[in-house]
Amino acid sequence: EVQLVESGGGLVQPGGALRLSCSASGFSFKKYAMHWVRQAPGKGLEYISSINSNGNKTFYADSVKGRFTISRNNSKNTLNIQMSSLRPEDTAVYYCVKGGGLANCGGDCYGESWGQGTLVTVSS
Amino acid sequence: DIQLTQSPSFLSASVGDRVTITCRASQDISRYLAWFQQRAGKAPNLLISAASTLQSGVPSRFSGSGSGTEFTLTINSLQPEDFATYYCQRLNNYPFTFGPGTKVEI
């Protein structure tokens, strides 16, 4: 069974930094791209970042580009995101999402598995 | 970046109703579209991939259609557990933008 468990959320002051982690199990982590999605309180889902399977390609939403850095450790089955220069508008639940096929994916699709989320609150 | 819009934003319906949600892309995304259901306080659940492929375990009352720039999610015979918010997401290239969501309420 696929499991994704996020950790590292909490209260941080504006301008501060925080590192979130996602521990993965139940699948061959090193074979899959991984993604972060967030949801501000009472708002919709927002894609924020992706990393390919071997970690040498990363992608970011404009809203976090230059402030957030995604990384992974395939030997530890862990996905991370380092967040800096945090703003109140970064307050959200952050979800780790397993990658997969994007079309014609036959039961191994992007988005089939999500973590439970970790709450980041940016406030003074 | 390619943007997604959804209509309606809110939908009031009753058990047994047939409901349709539309997702429009600002450019052609072929069939690279997924639909998610999110119940209150829960992580999203993938319903449909590649615009129309129903995920394993998802009830057959859910269906998706469309390609290019216009897509629909249809729920036949709405059930109490279907009252939730539905999101489309494009997967043709990064960033994997979400639509703003459609809340289905009683």
Side-chain angles (χ1 to χ4, degrees):
Chain A
E1 179 193 1
V2 173
Q3 279 203 312
L4 300 170
V5 179
E6 300 94 340
S7 61
L11 175 64
V12 60
Q13 291 190 339
L18 206 59
R19 183 180 176 89
L20 306 182
S21 294
C22 171
S23 178
S25 60
F27 66 103
S28 184
F29 179 76
K30 64 182 180 182
K31 293 184 178 179
Y32 289 86
M34 295 294 295
H35 313 268
W36 288 98
V37 171
R38 70 183 180 184
Q39 187 169 36
K43 302 297 184 182
L45 300 170
E46 181 187 12
Y47 163 89
I48 56 170
S49 187
S50 298
I51 188 167
N52 69 345
S53 58
N54 64 21
N56 65 350
K57 290 185 180 178
T58 58
F59 306 90
Y60 299 94
D62 287 345
S63 58
V64 305
K65 200 174 293 182
R67 300 188 299 123
F68 290 13
T69 302
I70 191 172
S71 63
R72 64 190 296 159
N73 185 327
N74 285 348
S75 63
K76 295 184 177 179
N77 291 352
T78 302
L79 174 71
N80 304 297
I81 191 159
Q82 178 69 44
M83 306 185 295
S84 61
S85 302
L86 283 162
R87 306 165 180 167
E89 55 264 37
D90 294 318
T91 294
V93 173
Y94 285 73
Y95 293 103
C96 166
V97 185
K98 176 179 170 286
L102 305 180
N104 299 320
C105 36
D108 190 17
C109 299
Y110 160 87
E112 287 180 342
S113 300
W114 294 60
Q116 85 287 353
T118 187
L119 177 63
V120 172
T121 303
V122 184
S123 174
S124 55
Chain B
D1 292 345
I2 299 172
Q3 302 302 314
L4 298 180
T5 59
Q6 283 183 240
S7 59
S9 300
F10 295 92
L11 193 161
S12 182
S14 301
V15 173
D17 283 354
R18 180 174 189 259
V19 302
T20 299
I21 298 167
T22 298
C23 176
R24 290 186 174 89
S26 59
Q27 296 177 40
D28 188 339
I29 60 170
S30 185
R31 297 178 61 82
Y32 287 91
L33 190 96
W35 287 98
F36 292 90
Q37 176 195 64
Q38 187 180 33
R39 298 188 178 108
K42 301 293 187 182
N45 180 47
L46 179 65
L47 299 175
I48 288 172
S49 63
S52 62
T53 302
L54 196 67
Q55 294 304 110
S56 175
V58 175
S60 59
R61 61 182 179 273
F62 290 90
S63 64
S65 65
S67 66
T69 61
E70 187 154 333
F71 304 84
T72 60
L73 172 70
T74 299
I75 312 172
N76 285 301
S77 189
L78 203 65
Q79 297 300 300
E81 60 267 30
D82 300 338
F83 291 95
T85 302
Y86 295 84
Y87 297 91
C88 56
Q89 186 185 20
R90 68 173 188 84
L91 303 176
N92 61 310
N93 58 23
Y94 291 109
F96 288 173
T97 315
F98 286 92
T102 295
K103 187 172 185 179
V104 177
E105 302 175 312
I106 299 174

